[in-house]
Amino acid sequence: MRCVIARFPFDLTKSGVLDSMKGVKPEPGTGEFVTVGRRRYPAKQVGEVLTRQDRRDFSAGEVVRAMTRLGFTCGTFPAETAETVATSEHLTA
């Protein structure tokens, strides 16, 4: 399927995305995500791996639209509450 990300056309397939993301560890994320296999990746991380472009060159929305058209599940990471942040800071201190 032809997708345009950061004004450049890419021919992407679901199997190609799965192969590209194989062995890539998901970064901690906020905002939008793409579920590839059993892992949730930040949309910008997926876009960077697939396009080999700097993350500043495209939006997460462009990646989410393309991945949704390929059949991947996309969504938004839940926002951390102040209580969650305080608890995690306490545990790391």
Coordinates of all heavy atoms in Angstrom, one line a residue:
M1 N 0.8 -1.2 0.0 CA 0.0 0.0 0.0 C 0.9 1.2 0.0 O 1.9 1.3 0.7 CB -0.9 0.0 1.3 CG -1.8 1.2 1.3 SD -2.7 1.3 2.9 CE -1.4 2.0 3.9
R2 N 0.5 2.2 -0.8 CA 1.3 3.4 -0.9 C 0.8 4.4 0.1 O -0.4 4.7 0.2 CB 1.2 4.0 -2.3 CG 2.0 5.3 -2.4 CD 2.3 5.6 -3.9 NE 3.3 4.7 -4.3 CZ 4.4 5.1 -4.9 NH1 4.6 6.4 -5.1 NH2 5.3 4.3 -5.3
C3 N 1.8 4.9 1.0 CA 1.5 5.9 2.0 C 2.4 7.1 1.8 O 3.5 6.9 1.4 CB 1.7 5.3 3.4 SG 0.8 3.8 3.8
V4 N 1.9 8.2 2.2 CA 2.7 9.4 2.2 C 3.0 9.8 3.6 O 2.1 10.1 4.4 CB 2.1 10.6 1.4 CG1 2.9 11.8 1.5 CG2 1.8 10.1 -0.1
I5 N 4.3 9.9 4.0 CA 4.7 10.3 5.3 C 5.8 11.3 5.1 O 6.8 11.1 4.4 CB 5.2 9.1 6.1 CG1 4.1 8.1 6.3 CG2 5.7 9.6 7.5 CD1 4.5 6.8 7.0
A6 N 5.6 12.5 5.7 CA 6.5 13.6 5.6 C 6.8 14.0 4.1 O 7.9 14.2 3.6 CB 7.9 13.3 6.2
R7 N 5.7 14.0 3.3 CA 5.7 14.3 1.9 C 6.4 13.4 1.0 O 6.7 13.7 -0.1 CB 6.2 15.8 1.7 CG 5.4 16.8 2.4 CD 5.9 18.2 2.3 NE 7.3 18.4 2.5 CZ 7.9 18.6 3.7 NH1 7.1 18.7 4.8 NH2 9.2 18.8 3.8
F8 N 6.8 12.2 1.5 CA 7.5 11.2 0.7 C 6.6 10.0 0.6 O 6.1 9.5 1.6 CB 8.8 10.8 1.3 CG 9.9 11.9 1.2 CD1 10.1 12.7 2.3 CD2 10.6 12.1 0.1 CE1 11.0 13.7 2.3 CE2 11.5 13.2 0.0 CZ 11.8 13.9 1.1
P9 N 6.5 9.4 -0.6 CA 5.7 8.2 -0.7 C 6.5 6.9 -0.3 O 7.7 6.8 -0.6 CB 5.4 8.1 -2.2 CG 6.5 8.9 -2.9 CD 7.0 9.9 -1.9
F10 N 5.8 6.0 0.4 CA 6.4 4.8 0.8 C 5.4 3.6 0.4 O 4.2 3.8 0.6 CB 6.6 4.7 2.3 CG 7.6 5.7 2.8 CD1 7.2 7.0 3.2 CD2 9.0 5.4 2.8 CE1 8.2 7.9 3.6 CE2 9.9 6.3 3.2 CZ 9.5 7.5 3.6
D11 N 5.9 2.5 -0.1 CA 5.1 1.3 -0.3 C 5.3 0.4 0.9 O 6.4 -0.2 1.1 CB 5.6 0.6 -1.6 CG 5.2 1.4 -2.8 OD1 4.0 1.9 -2.9 OD2 6.0 1.5 -3.8
L12 N 4.3 0.4 1.7 CA 4.3 -0.4 3.0 C 3.4 -1.6 2.9 O 2.3 -1.5 2.3 CB 4.0 0.5 4.2 CG 4.8 1.7 4.4 CD1 4.2 2.5 5.5 CD2 6.3 1.3 4.7
T13 N 3.8 -2.7 3.5 CA 3.0 -3.9 3.7 C 3.0 -4.2 5.1 O 3.9 -3.9 5.9 CB 3.5 -5.1 2.9 OG1 4.8 -5.4 3.4 CG2 3.5 -4.8 1.4
K14 N 1.9 -4.9 5.6 CA 1.9 -5.3 7.0 C 3.0 -6.3 7.3 O 3.7 -6.1 8.3 CB 0.5 -6.0 7.2 CG 0.3 -6.3 8.7 CD -1.1 -6.7 9.0 CE -1.3 -6.7 10.5 NZ -2.7 -6.8 10.9
S15 N 3.4 -7.2 6.4 CA 4.5 -8.1 6.7 C 5.8 -7.3 6.7 O 6.7 -7.7 7.5 CB 4.5 -9.2 5.7 OG 4.7 -8.7 4.4
G16 N 5.9 -6.3 5.9 CA 7.2 -5.5 5.9 C 7.3 -4.7 7.2 O 8.4 -4.6 7.7
V17 N 6.2 -4.2 7.7 CA 6.3 -3.5 9.0 C 6.6 -4.4 10.1 O 7.5 -4.1 10.9 CB 4.9 -2.8 9.3 CG1 4.9 -2.2 10.7 CG2 4.6 -1.7 8.2
L18 N 6.0 -5.6 10.1 CA 6.4 -6.6 11.1 C 7.9 -7.0 11.1 O 8.5 -7.1 12.1 CB 5.5 -7.9 11.0 CG 4.0 -7.7 11.3 CD1 3.2 -8.9 10.8 CD2 3.8 -7.4 12.8
D19 N 8.4 -7.2 9.9 CA 9.8 -7.5 9.7 C 10.7 -6.4 10.2 O 11.7 -6.6 10.9 CB 10.1 -7.9 8.3 CG 9.6 -9.2 7.9 OD1 9.2 -10.0 8.8 OD2 9.5 -9.4 6.6
S20 N 10.3 -5.1 9.9 CA 11.1 -4.0 10.2 C 11.2 -3.8 11.7 O 12.2 -3.3 12.3 CB 10.6 -2.7 9.6 OG 10.7 -2.8 8.2
M21 N 10.1 -4.1 12.4 CA 10.0 -3.8 13.9 C 10.5 -5.0 14.7 O 10.6 -4.9 15.9 CB 8.5 -3.5 14.2 CG 8.0 -2.2 13.6 SD 9.1 -0.7 13.9 CE 8.9 -0.5 15.7
K22 N 10.8 -6.1 14.0 CA 11.3 -7.3 14.7 C 12.6 -6.9 15.4 O 13.5 -6.4 14.8 CB 11.5 -8.4 13.8 CG 11.7 -9.8 14.4 CD 11.7 -10.9 13.4 CE 10.3 -11.0 12.8 NZ 10.2 -12.1 11.9
G23 N 12.7 -7.2 16.7 CA 13.9 -7.0 17.4 C 14.1 -5.5 17.9 O 15.1 -5.2 18.6
V24 N 13.1 -4.7 17.6 CA 13.2 -3.3 18.1 C 12.5 -3.2 19.4 O 11.3 -3.6 19.6 CB 12.5 -2.3 17.1 CG1 12.5 -0.9 17.6 CG2 13.2 -2.4 15.7
K25 N 13.1 -2.7 20.4 CA 12.6 -2.5 21.8 C 11.7 -1.3 21.8 O 12.2 -0.2 21.5 CB 13.7 -2.5 22.8 CG 13.2 -2.4 24.2 CD 14.3 -2.4 25.2 CE 13.8 -2.3 26.6 NZ 14.8 -2.0 27.6
P26 N 10.5 -1.4 22.3 CA 9.6 -0.2 22.4 C 10.2 0.8 23.4 O 10.6 0.4 24.5 CB 8.3 -0.7 22.9 CG 8.3 -2.2 22.7 CD 9.8 -2.6 22.7
E27 N 10.1 2.1 23.1 CA 10.6 3.1 24.0 C 9.4 3.5 24.9 O 8.2 3.2 24.5 CB 11.0 4.4 23.2 CG 12.1 4.1 22.2 CD 12.4 5.3 21.3 OE1 11.6 6.3 21.3 OE2 13.4 5.3 20.6
P28 N 9.7 4.0 26.1 CA 8.6 4.5 26.9 C 7.9 5.6 26.1 O 8.5 6.4 25.4 CB 9.2 5.1 28.1 CG 10.7 4.7 28.1 CD 11.0 4.2 26.7
G29 N 6.5 5.6 26.1 CA 5.9 6.6 25.3 C 4.7 7.3 25.9 O 4.2 6.9 26.9
T30 N 4.4 8.4 25.3 CA 3.2 9.2 25.6 C 2.6 9.5 24.3 O 3.2 9.4 23.2 CB 3.5 10.5 26.4 OG1 4.4 11.3 25.5 CG2 4.2 10.2 27.7
G31 N 1.4 9.9 24.3 CA 0.7 10.2 23.0 C 0.2 9.0 22.3 O -0.2 8.0 22.9
E32 N 0.4 8.9 21.0 CA -0.2 7.9 20.2 C 0.7 6.7 20.0 O 2.0 6.9 20.1 CB -0.6 8.4 18.8 CG -1.7 9.5 18.9 CD -1.9 10.1 17.6 OE1 -1.1 10.9 17.1 OE2 -3.0 9.9 17.0
F33 N 0.1 5.5 19.9 CA 0.9 4.3 19.8 C 0.4 3.4 18.7 O -0.7 3.6 18.2 CB 1.0 3.5 21.1 CG -0.3 2.9 21.5 CD1 -0.7 1.7 21.0 CD2 -1.1 3.5 22.5 CE1 -2.0 1.1 21.3 CE2 -2.3 2.9 22.8 CZ -2.8 1.7 22.3
V34 N 1.3 2.5 18.2 CA 0.9 1.5 17.3 C 1.2 0.1 17.9 O 2.3 -0.1 18.4 CB 1.7 1.7 15.9 CG1 1.3 0.6 14.9 CG2 1.5 3.0 15.4
T35 N 0.3 -0.8 17.8 CA 0.5 -2.1 18.3 C 1.0 -3.0 17.2 O 0.3 -3.2 16.2 CB -0.8 -2.8 18.9 OG1 -1.3 -1.9 19.9 CG2 -0.5 -4.1 19.5
V36 N 2.3 -3.4 17.3 CA 2.9 -4.3 16.3 C 3.2 -5.6 17.0 O 4.0 -5.6 18.0 CB 4.2 -3.6 15.8 CG1 4.8 -4.6 14.7 CG2 3.9 -2.3 15.2
G37 N 2.6 -6.7 16.6 CA 2.7 -7.9 17.3 C 2.0 -7.8 18.7 O 0.9 -7.4 18.7
R38 N 2.8 -8.1 19.7 CA 2.2 -7.9 21.1 C 2.7 -6.7 21.8 O 2.5 -6.5 23.0 CB 2.6 -9.1 21.9 CG 1.9 -10.4 21.4 CD 2.3 -11.6 22.2 NE 3.7 -11.8 22.0 CZ 4.4 -12.8 22.6 NH1 3.8 -13.6 23.4 NH2 5.7 -13.0 22.3
R39 N 3.5 -5.8 21.1 CA 4.1 -4.7 21.7 C 3.5 -3.4 21.2 O 3.1 -3.2 20.1 CB 5.6 -4.6 21.4 CG 6.3 -5.8 21.9 CD 7.8 -5.7 21.6 NE 8.5 -6.7 22.3 CZ 9.8 -6.8 22.2 NH1 10.5 -6.0 21.4 NH2 10.5 -7.7 22.8
R40 N 3.4 -2.4 22.1 CA 3.0 -1.0 21.8 C 4.2 -0.1 21.6 O 5.0 0.0 22.5 CB 2.1 -0.5 22.9 CG 0.7 -1.1 23.0 CD -0.1 -0.5 24.1 NE -1.4 -1.0 24.1 CZ -2.3 -0.6 24.9 NH1 -2.1 0.2 25.9 NH2 -3.5 -1.2 24.9
Y41 N 4.3 0.4 20.4 CA 5.4 1.3 20.1 C 4.8 2.7 20.0 O 3.8 2.9 19.4 CB 6.0 0.9 18.8 CG 6.7 -0.4 18.8 CD1 6.1 -1.6 18.5 CD2 8.1 -0.5 19.1 CE1 6.7 -2.8 18.4 CE2 8.8 -1.7 19.0 CZ 8.1 -2.8 18.7 OH 8.7 -4.0 18.7
P42 N 5.6 3.7 20.4 CA 5.2 5.1 20.1 C 5.1 5.3 18.6 O 6.0 4.8 17.9 CB 6.3 6.0 20.7 CG 6.9 5.1 21.8 CD 6.8 3.7 21.3
A43 N 4.1 6.0 18.1 CA 3.9 6.2 16.7 C 5.2 6.8 16.0 O 5.6 6.4 14.9 CB 2.7 7.0 16.4
K44 N 5.8 7.7 16.7 CA 7.0 8.4 16.1 C 8.2 7.4 16.0 O 8.9 7.4 15.0 CB 7.4 9.5 17.0 CG 6.5 10.7 16.9 CD 6.8 11.6 15.8 CE 6.2 13.0 15.9 NZ 6.9 13.9 15.1
Q45 N 8.3 6.4 16.9 CA 9.3 5.4 16.8 C 9.1 4.5 15.6 O 10.0 4.2 14.8 CB 9.4 4.6 18.1 CG 10.5 3.5 18.1 CD 10.5 2.6 19.3 OE1 9.6 2.7 20.1 NE2 11.6 1.9 19.4
V46 N 7.9 4.1 15.4 CA 7.5 3.3 14.2 C 7.8 4.0 12.9 O 8.5 3.5 12.0 CB 6.0 2.8 14.3 CG1 5.7 2.1 13.0 CG2 5.8 2.0 15.5
G47 N 7.4 5.3 12.9 CA 7.7 6.1 11.7 C 9.1 6.2 11.4 O 9.6 6.2 10.3
E48 N 9.9 6.4 12.5 CA 11.4 6.6 12.3 C 12.0 5.3 11.7 O 12.9 5.4 10.8 CB 12.0 7.0 13.6 CG 13.5 7.3 13.5 CD 14.1 7.7 14.8 OE1 13.9 7.0 15.8 OE2 14.7 8.8 14.8
V49 N 11.6 4.2 12.3 CA 12.2 2.9 11.8 C 11.8 2.6 10.4 O 12.6 2.2 9.5 CB 11.7 1.7 12.7 CG1 12.1 0.4 12.1 CG2 12.3 1.9 14.1
L50 N 10.5 2.9 10.0 CA 10.0 2.6 8.7 C 10.6 3.5 7.6 O 10.9 3.1 6.5 CB 8.5 2.6 8.6 CG 7.8 1.5 9.5 CD1 6.3 1.7 9.4 CD2 8.2 0.1 9.1
T51 N 10.6 4.8 7.9 CA 11.0 5.8 6.9 C 12.5 6.2 6.9 O 13.0 6.8 6.0 CB 10.2 7.1 7.1 OG1 10.5 7.7 8.3 CG2 8.7 6.8 7.0
R52 N 13.1 5.9 8.0 CA 14.5 6.3 8.3 C 14.7 7.8 8.2 O 15.7 8.3 7.8 CB 15.5 5.6 7.2 CG 15.5 4.1 7.4 CD 16.5 3.5 6.5 NE 16.7 2.1 6.7 CZ 15.9 1.1 6.1 NH1 15.0 1.5 5.3 NH2 16.1 -0.1 6.4
Q53 N 13.6 8.5 8.6 CA 13.6 10.0 8.7 C 13.6 10.4 10.1 O 13.3 9.7 11.0 CB 12.4 10.5 8.0 CG 12.4 10.3 6.5 CD 11.2 10.9 5.8 OE1 10.2 11.2 6.5 NE2 11.2 11.1 4.5
D54 N 14.1 11.6 10.3 CA 14.0 12.2 11.6 C 12.6 12.4 12.1 O 11.7 12.7 11.3 CB 14.7 13.6 11.6 CG 14.9 14.2 13.0 OD1 14.0 14.6 13.6 OD2 16.1 14.1 13.5
R55 N 12.4 12.1 13.4 CA 11.0 12.2 13.9 C 10.4 13.6 13.8 O 9.1 13.7 13.8 CB 11.0 11.8 15.4 CG 11.4 10.4 15.6 CD 11.5 10.1 17.1 NE 12.0 8.7 17.3 CZ 11.9 8.0 18.3 NH1 11.2 8.4 19.3 NH2 12.4 6.8 18.4
R56 N 11.2 14.6 13.7 CA 10.6 15.9 13.5 C 10.1 16.2 12.2 O 9.4 17.2 12.0 CB 11.7 17.0 13.9 CG 12.2 16.9 15.3 CD 13.4 17.8 15.5 NE 14.5 17.2 14.8 CZ 15.7 17.7 14.9 NH1 16.0 18.8 15.5 NH2 16.7 17.1 14.2
D57 N 10.3 15.3 11.2 CA 9.9 15.5 9.8 C 8.4 15.0 9.6 O 7.9 15.3 8.5 CB 10.8 14.8 8.9 CG 12.2 15.4 8.8 OD1 12.3 16.6 9.2 OD2 13.1 14.7 8.4
F58 N 7.8 14.3 10.5 CA 6.5 13.8 10.3 C 5.7 13.9 11.6 O 6.3 14.0 12.7 CB 6.5 12.4 9.7 CG 7.3 11.4 10.5 CD1 6.7 10.8 11.6 CD2 8.6 11.2 10.3 CE1 7.4 9.9 12.4 CE2 9.3 10.3 11.0 CZ 8.7 9.6 12.1
S59 N 4.4 13.8 11.5 CA 3.6 13.8 12.7 C 3.2 12.3 13.1 O 3.2 11.4 12.2 CB 2.3 14.6 12.5 OG 1.4 13.9 11.6
A60 N 2.8 12.2 14.3 CA 2.4 10.8 14.8 C 1.1 10.5 14.1 O 0.8 9.3 13.7 CB 2.1 10.9 16.3
G61 N 0.3 11.5 13.7 CA -1.0 11.2 13.0 C -0.8 10.6 11.7 O -1.6 9.8 11.2
E62 N 0.3 11.1 10.9 CA 0.6 10.5 9.6 C 0.9 9.0 9.8 O 0.4 8.2 9.0 CB 1.8 11.2 9.0 CG 1.5 12.6 8.6 CD 2.8 13.2 8.0 OE1 3.7 13.6 8.8 OE2 2.9 13.3 6.8
V63 N 1.6 8.6 10.8 CA 2.0 7.2 11.0 C 0.8 6.4 11.4 O 0.5 5.3 10.9 CB 3.1 7.1 12.1 CG1 3.4 5.7 12.4 CG2 4.4 7.9 11.6
V64 N 0.0 7.0 12.3 CA -1.2 6.3 12.8 C -2.2 6.0 11.6 O -2.7 4.9 11.5 CB -1.9 7.1 13.9 CG1 -3.3 6.5 14.2 CG2 -1.0 7.0 15.2
R65 N -2.4 7.0 10.7 CA -3.3 6.8 9.6 C -2.8 5.7 8.7 O -3.5 4.9 8.2 CB -3.4 8.1 8.8 CG -4.4 9.1 9.4 CD -4.7 10.2 8.5 NE -3.5 11.1 8.2 CZ -3.1 12.0 9.0 NH1 -3.7 12.3 10.1 NH2 -2.0 12.8 8.7
A66 N -1.5 5.7 8.4 CA -0.9 4.7 7.5 C -1.0 3.3 8.2 O -1.4 2.3 7.5 CB 0.6 5.0 7.2
M67 N -0.7 3.2 9.5 CA -0.7 1.9 10.1 C -2.1 1.4 10.3 O -2.4 0.2 10.2 CB 0.0 2.0 11.5 CG 1.5 2.3 11.5 SD 2.4 1.1 10.6 CE 2.7 1.9 9.0
T68 N -3.1 2.3 10.5 CA -4.5 1.9 10.6 C -5.0 1.3 9.2 O -5.6 0.3 9.2 CB -5.4 3.1 11.0 OG1 -4.9 3.5 12.3 CG2 -6.8 2.7 11.1
R69 N -4.6 1.9 8.2 CA -4.9 1.4 6.8 C -4.3 0.1 6.5 O -4.9 -0.7 5.8 CB -4.5 2.4 5.7 CG -5.4 3.7 5.7 CD -4.9 4.7 4.7 NE -4.9 4.1 3.3 CZ -4.2 4.7 2.3 NH1 -3.4 5.7 2.5 NH2 -4.2 4.1 1.1
L70 N -3.2 -0.2 7.2 CA -2.5 -1.5 7.0 C -3.1 -2.6 7.9 O -2.8 -3.8 7.8 CB -1.0 -1.4 7.3 CG -0.2 -0.8 6.2 CD1 1.2 -0.6 6.6 CD2 -0.2 -1.6 4.9
G71 N -4.0 -2.2 8.9 CA -4.7 -3.1 9.7 C -4.1 -3.2 11.1 O -4.5 -4.1 11.9
F72 N -3.2 -2.3 11.5 CA -2.6 -2.3 12.8 C -3.5 -1.6 13.8 O -4.2 -0.7 13.4 CB -1.2 -1.7 12.9 CG -0.2 -2.5 12.2 CD1 0.2 -2.2 10.9 CD2 0.5 -3.5 12.9 CE1 1.2 -3.0 10.2 CE2 1.4 -4.3 12.2 CZ 1.8 -4.0 10.9
T73 N -3.5 -2.0 15.1 CA -4.3 -1.3 16.1 C -3.5 -0.2 16.6 O -2.3 -0.3 16.9 CB -4.6 -2.3 17.3 OG1 -5.3 -3.4 16.7 CG2 -5.4 -1.6 18.3
C74 N -4.2 1.0 16.7 CA -3.5 2.2 17.1 C -4.4 2.8 18.2 O -5.6 2.5 18.3 CB -3.4 3.2 16.0 SG -2.4 2.6 14.6
G75 N -3.7 3.6 19.1 CA -4.5 4.3 20.2 C -3.6 5.3 20.8 O -2.6 5.8 20.3
T76 N -4.0 5.7 22.0 CA -3.3 6.7 22.8 C -2.9 6.1 24.1 O -3.7 5.5 24.8 CB -4.2 8.0 23.0 OG1 -4.6 8.4 21.7 CG2 -3.4 9.1 23.7
F77 N -1.6 6.3 24.5 CA -1.2 5.9 25.8 C -2.0 6.6 26.9 O -2.3 7.8 26.8 CB 0.3 6.2 26.0 CG 1.3 5.3 25.3 CD1 2.0 5.8 24.2 CD2 1.4 4.0 25.6 CE1 2.9 5.0 23.6 CE2 2.3 3.1 25.0 CZ 3.0 3.6 23.9
P78 N -2.3 5.9 28.0 CA -3.1 6.6 29.0 C -2.2 7.6 29.7 O -1.0 7.4 29.9 CB -3.4 5.5 30.0 CG -2.6 4.3 29.6 CD -2.1 4.5 28.2
A79 N -2.7 8.7 30.0 CA -2.0 9.8 30.7 C -1.6 9.4 32.1 O -2.5 8.8 32.8 CB -2.8 11.1 30.7
E80 N -0.4 9.7 32.5 CA 0.0 9.4 33.9 C -0.7 10.5 34.8 O -0.7 11.6 34.5 CB 1.5 9.5 34.1 CG 2.2 8.3 33.5 CD 3.7 8.3 33.9 OE1 4.2 9.4 34.1 OE2 4.3 7.3 33.9
T81 N -1.2 10.0 35.9 CA -1.7 10.9 36.9 C -0.6 11.4 37.8 O 0.5 10.8 37.9 CB -2.8 10.2 37.7 OG1 -2.2 9.1 38.4 CG2 -3.9 9.7 36.8
A82 N -0.8 12.5 38.5 CA 0.2 13.0 39.4 C 0.5 11.9 40.5 O 1.7 11.8 40.9 CB -0.3 14.2 40.1
E83 N -0.5 11.1 40.9 CA -0.2 10.1 41.9 C 0.7 9.0 41.4 O 1.6 8.6 42.1 CB -1.6 9.5 42.3 CG -1.5 8.4 43.4 CD -2.8 7.9 43.7 OE1 -3.8 8.7 43.9 OE2 -2.9 6.6 43.8
T84 N 0.5 8.6 40.1 CA 1.4 7.6 39.5 C 2.8 8.1 39.4 O 3.8 7.4 39.7 CB 0.9 7.2 38.1 OG1 -0.5 6.9 38.2 CG2 1.7 6.1 37.5
V85 N 3.0 9.3 39.0 CA 4.3 9.9 38.9 C 5.0 10.0 40.2 O 6.1 9.6 40.4 CB 4.2 11.3 38.2 CG1 5.6 12.0 38.2 CG2 3.7 11.2 36.8
A86 N 4.3 10.5 41.2 CA 4.8 10.6 42.6 C 5.2 9.2 43.1 O 6.3 9.0 43.7 CB 3.8 11.2 43.5
T87 N 4.4 8.2 42.9 CA 4.7 6.8 43.3 C 6.0 6.3 42.6 O 6.8 5.7 43.3 CB 3.5 5.9 43.1 OG1 2.4 6.4 43.7 CG2 3.8 4.5 43.6
S88 N 6.1 6.5 41.3 CA 7.2 6.0 40.6 C 8.5 6.7 41.0 O 9.6 6.1 41.0 CB 7.0 6.1 39.1 OG 6.9 7.4 38.7
E89 N 8.4 8.0 41.3 CA 9.6 8.8 41.7 C 10.0 8.3 43.1 O 11.2 8.2 43.4 CB 9.2 10.3 41.7 CG 9.2 10.9 40.4 CD 8.7 12.4 40.4 OE1 8.4 12.9 41.5 OE2 8.7 13.0 39.3
H90 N 9.0 8.0 43.9 CA 9.4 7.5 45.3 C 10.1 6.2 45.2 O 11.0 5.9 45.9 CB 8.1 7.4 46.1 CG 8.3 6.7 47.5 ND1 9.1 7.3 48.4 CD2 7.8 5.6 48.0 CE1 9.1 6.5 49.5 NE2 8.3 5.5 49.2
L91 N 9.6 5.3 44.3 CA 10.3 4.0 44.2 C 11.7 4.0 43.6 O 12.5 3.2 43.9 CB 9.4 3.1 43.3 CG 8.0 2.7 43.8 CD1 7.2 1.9 42.8 CD2 8.1 1.9 45.1
T92 N 12.0 5.0 42.8 CA 13.3 5.1 42.2 C 14.3 5.9 43.1 O 15.5 5.8 42.8 CB 13.2 5.8 40.8 OG1 12.7 7.1 40.9 CG2 12.4 5.0 39.8
A93 N 13.8 6.6 44.0 CA 14.7 7.4 44.9 C 15.4 6.5 45.9 O 15.1 5.4 46.2 CB 13.9 8.5 45.6

